[in-house]
Amino acid sequence: MQTGGRQGPEIWLRGPVDTGPHAAAPEAPERSSSIPVGIPTGIPVAPRRFSWVATHGGTGATTLAAVYGGRDCGRDWPAPEDPPSVLLVARTHAAGLAAVARALEVFRRGEAPAGLDLDAVVLVADAPGRLPRQLAQYVKAIESVIDVYRVPWVPAWRVGDLSGEPPRETEALARLTRATLDR
């Protein structure tokens, strides 16, 4: 953007943008839903399936897929037979947040494989406790362009014990993936 010869910040917009001469007010982007139109409420519908895509090594995507369901794609893009709905996964350390920013840029530029639908980013705590201010600001910047779900540090998962219920702080993620939290 040029204003008086000065370069302004790049702005990310969610959804399609029509800049033509007959552009109307922006409409909400269409999102595919797991509930087909015309199905009365109360009738069971199969949960939406997701592909978990790790943006760097050690994200915990395999654990998340085991706990919340869906397909663990590792660091690869989903194959044609995998669910096209993508959840990008990263740890909350500086390298992890930078990796998820690079992956978001791939989607923003339209360089991701055709047919994929980026649904959200899932950030997994890299350590117990609060994030340092610098990292929290980085997370806030990511949240300004896409839905972000946070997963706290879970000591049991570190040693491979996935038998317990998902943490209460992940109820929104459980609703998205239709995993059940019996609490």
Side-chain angles (χ1 to χ4, degrees), residues 8-23:
E10 181 177 354
I11 298 174
W12 289 11
L13 298 175
R14 287 178 149 176
V17 178
D18 182 4
T19 57
H22 304 290

Side-chain angles (χ1 to χ4, degrees), residues 150-168:
R150 305 271 303 270
V151 178
W153 182 259
V154 182
W157 291 358
R158 188 175 192 201
V159 296
D161 180 7
L162 308 180
S163 62
E165 289 294 318
R168 196 178 268 296

Side-chain angles (χ1 to χ4, degrees), residues 4-175:
R6 297 177 67 183
Q7 183 85 21
E10 181 177 354
I11 298 174
W12 289 11
L13 298 175
R14 287 178 149 176
V17 178
D18 182 4
T19 57
H22 304 290
E27 296 179 22
E30 288 187 33
R31 293 186 65 102
S32 56
S33 171
S34 60
I35 302 175
V37 176
I39 301 290
T41 56
I43 295 177
V45 176
R48 186 169 180 193
R49 296 216 18 184
F50 291 91
S51 289
W52 300 86
V53 177
T55 59
H56 58 89
T59 63
T62 301
T63 298
L64 294 173
V67 172
Y68 297 98
R71 170 80 166 96
D72 173 21
C73 293
R75 295 182 66 188
D76 296 324
W77 292 116
E81 66 274 5
D82 294 332
S85 298
V86 173
L87 296 173
L88 292 177
V89 185
R91 290 284 177 171
T92 56
H93 49 59
L97 296 175
V100 80
R102 286 189 301 273
L104 288 171
E105 183 68 9
V106 168
F107 273 95
R108 188 187 72 79
R109 283 191 248 130
E111 297 172 357
L116 294 184
D117 178 25
L118 177 58
D119 279 275
V121 167
V122 180
L123 297 177
V124 180
D126 66 310
R130 296 179 64 173
L131 283 178
R133 178 176 294 179
Q134 173 180 357
L135 297 178
Q137 290 172 337
Y138 206 156
V139 169
K140 200 172 207 177
I142 294 168
E143 289 173 332
S144 73
V145 296
I146 191 162
D147 293 334
V148 173
Y149 295 89
R150 305 271 303 270
V151 178
W153 182 259
V154 182
W157 291 358
R158 188 175 192 201
V159 296
D161 180 7
L162 308 180
S163 62
E165 289 294 318
R168 196 178 268 296
E169 298 94 313
T170 66
E171 287 179 356
L173 179 60
R175 277 192 307 275

